[in-house]
């Protein structure tokens, strides 16, 4: 019985010692497996499909526009048609939207910008020497970043015009550094950033890619980028 007691004490000591070692290590948001090839980096963009990128669930535009309204006759004929989140967006109830809508469009687009920045920051670390693959992935990352900034600036900033150029734009995030400034730049600087990204994205030379008989529409292609630039 005494031996069992000593063994239990020893096990508890080992567990707490391990916890101390774990807790004493400073947290690192970027601690993860580092991609070593362009193919592995490209997998980060494949996640846009699982994020349902094609749906573009911008509730601010969909439910907050003049083309949408809360109609009693629709609710009467189809009870439950309008859930609380839809009602909040439709009435511009800014005090409670962020509580009821878990996630939302704003953080979704910043997540995609962070992914594009991660690809750009890791391109110099890949081991392969295929510069064409690197250039294509670089152009694709700039396209995704430009597209997300375009969506954000048209949703959360004043319209582009000569009179609004000095009005607040967005925060410019060109890296994955958590020390990068979070201050909003002017609307002009925001649009200049988008256009610079777009110029690089236009260098991509890639047709729509086939996958199991279908097109990988969640990945960048020359037709998609040209359409966006137009």
């Amino acid at each position: 019985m005494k031996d069992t007691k000593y063994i239990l004490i020893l096990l508890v000591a080992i567990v707490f010692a391990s916890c101390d070692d774990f807790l004493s290590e400073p947290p690192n948001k970027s601690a993860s497996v580092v991609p070593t090839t362009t193919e592995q980096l490209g997998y980060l963009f494949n996640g846009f499909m699982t994020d349902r990128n094609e749906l573009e669930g911008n509730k601010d535009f969909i439910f907050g526009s003049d083309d949408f309204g809360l109609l009693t006759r629709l609710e009467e004929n189809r009870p439950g048609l309008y859930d609380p989140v839809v009602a909040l967006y439709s009435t511009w109830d800014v005090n409670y939207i962020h509580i009821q809508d878990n996630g939302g469009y704003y953080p979704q687009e910043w997540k995609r910008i962070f992914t594009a920045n991660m690809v750009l920051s890791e391109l110099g670390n890949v081991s392969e020497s295929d510069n064409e693959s690197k250039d294509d992935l670089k152009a694709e990352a700039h396209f995704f970043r430009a597209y997300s900034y375009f969506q954000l600036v048209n949703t959360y900033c004043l319209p582009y015009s000569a009179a609004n150029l000095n009005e607040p734009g967005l925060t410019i995030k060109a890296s994955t550094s958590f020390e990068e400034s979070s201050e909003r730049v002017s609307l002009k600087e925001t649009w200049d950033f988008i256009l610079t990204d777009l110029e690089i994205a236009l260098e991509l030379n890639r047709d729509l890619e086939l996958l199991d008989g279908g097109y990988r529409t969640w990945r960048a292609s020359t037709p998609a980028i040209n359409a966006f630039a137009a």
Side-chain angles (χ1 to χ4, degrees), residues 22-28:
F22 174 78
L23 294 173
S24 63
E25 191 170 324
N28 185 352

Side-chain angles (χ1 to χ4, degrees), residues 19-40:
C19 288
D20 287 341
D21 291 341
F22 174 78
L23 294 173
S24 63
E25 191 170 324
N28 185 352
K29 294 181 181 180
S30 299
S32 185
V33 176
V34 178
T36 58
T37 66
T38 54
E39 183 180 16
Q40 291 173 346

Side-chain angles (χ1 to χ4, degrees), residues 1-170:
M1 187 69 176
K2 185 179 293 186
D3 291 342
T4 303
K5 179 180 178 181
Y6 287 139
I7 291 173
L8 288 174
I9 293 173
L10 180 61
L11 288 174
V12 171
I14 291 173
V15 169
F16 276 102
S18 300
C19 288
D20 287 341
D21 291 341
F22 174 78
L23 294 173
S24 63
E25 191 170 324
N28 185 352
K29 294 181 181 180
S30 299
S32 185
V33 176
V34 178
T36 58
T37 66
T38 54
E39 183 180 16
Q40 291 173 346
L41 281 175
Y43 290 155
L44 295 174
F45 291 144
N46 286 345
F48 285 2
M49 178 181 65
T50 57
D51 288 339
R52 307 193 77 180
N53 188 52
E54 76 283 359
L55 294 182
E56 289 293 342
N58 189 342
K59 295 176 183 176
D60 304 77
F61 268 169
I62 297 170
F63 301 129
S65 72
D66 293 337
D67 294 328
F68 187 87
L70 297 173
L71 305 179
T72 55
R73 66 178 183 275
L74 290 181
E75 179 65 26
E76 289 170 354
N77 286 279
R78 188 179 174 185
L81 176 65
Y82 300 116
D83 63 35
V85 172
V86 171
L88 290 172
Y89 274 100
S90 301
T91 56
W92 287 83
D93 194 340
V94 296
N95 293 320
Y96 294 99
I97 287 176
H98 68 286
I99 299 174
Q100 293 292 329
D101 188 17
N102 184 21
Y105 193 69
Y106 189 79
Q108 168 187 302
E109 291 304 315
W110 282 113
K111 176 183 176 182
R112 290 170 181 162
I113 290 170
F114 183 87
T115 300
N117 284 335
M118 181 178 293
V119 169
L120 291 171
S121 66
E122 293 297 330
L123 265 177
N125 299 325
V126 297
S127 57
E128 60 198 81
S129 57
D130 185 356
N131 290 328
E132 184 176 354
S133 295
K134 291 181 181 179
D135 290 342
D136 284 349
L137 199 57
K138 175 184 176 182
E140 187 172 19
H142 281 282
F143 166 66
F144 282 128
R145 192 168 70 183
Y147 184 79
S148 287
Y149 263 99
F150 177 81
Q151 296 299 325
L152 289 170
V153 76
N154 279 299
T155 302
Y156 301 106
C157 300
L158 291 175
Y160 181 90
S161 70
N164 291 336
L165 290 181
N166 291 322
E167 295 295 331
L170 297 169

